Amino acid sequence: MKVFVLFTFAVLGCSLAGARIVSKCELRDKLKEMFESLPTMRDTGMEEGRFLAKVVCHVEQRSGFNTSAVTEKAINNARAAQMFGDDEVTLYGLFQFPEGLVCSSDSKSMPNMCNLACEELTDDNISDDIKCVGKLFTLMMKKAFMMEKPEKLFKVLKNLIDDDCHDVKDYFSDC
C-alpha cells in the first residue's frame, strides 16, 4: 500500500509540474507559423528549412525538448560574465533562455525582453516560448542597433542557430 501511495504522489507531482516533451515536428510547425507571421523575418534571405532545423536542433541539444528544463551554467569568459553581470547564469525552458535578459526571477529582473516570469518558460504551454523567440528576432531586426548594449541579444540569438547542428539537411526527414 505504501508503494502505491508513493507512486501516486510521484505521478501526481510530475503531472502538476506541467512539464512535457515536445516533438521536433510540433516545434518546427509552431516556429514556422510564428516566423511566417513576422514581416521582418520574411525578407531576411535566410533559408527557412535550414534555419528552422538549426533552431530545433539547438532545442534538442540544450533542453532535450523538455519544457521544464532549467540549467545552471558557469560563465568562464570574463566578457560574457560582465555582460550577464555574474559568473553564473540560469537558463530556462525549451530554448534555454537566460534569466534577467529574457525573463525575470526573484534574483534577476532586468531587462526581461520578453516580459515573462522565468517560470512561464518552464510550463507545458509553449506558446509564450514561441512568442518570445519571435519578439527577440523582431527586436534584433528592428531595434538592436539602437539598443545601448545589443551584445546580449545577439548572443542569445546566435546561440539559437550557432552550435553543433551543422548538417541539418535531413533533420526533419521523420516529420
Side-chain angles (χ1 to χ4, degrees), residues 31 34 55 58-59 62-63 69-71 84 89-104 114 116 118 120-122 126 128-137 152-153 155-160:
L31 282 168
M34 183 272 302
V55 173
H58 162 83
V59 169
R62 300 297 193 258
S63 69
V70 177
T71 308
F84 286 104
V89 65
T90 305
L91 307 172
Y92 290 88
L94 281 174
F95 297 99
Q96 291 291 275
F97 287 138
E99 95 180 290
L101 180 65
V102 176
C103 62
S104 67
C114 288
L116 291 170
C118 294
E120 292 177 86
L121 294 172
T122 60
I126 66 169
D128 49 5
D129 306 51
I130 300 290
K131 285 179 188 174
C132 182
V133 171
K135 184 170 187 170
L136 294 174
F137 274 96
K152 291 180 184 180
L153 176 59
K155 182 171 177 51
V156 168
L157 293 175
K158 185 176 186 262
N159 283 338
L160 282 178

Side-chain angles (χ1 to χ4, degrees), residues 75 78-88 108 152:
I75 299 175
R79 184 174 177 207
Q82 183 181 11
M83 255 190 345
F84 286 104
D86 203 347
D87 58 355
E88 188 173 275
K108 297 179 185 174
K152 291 180 184 180

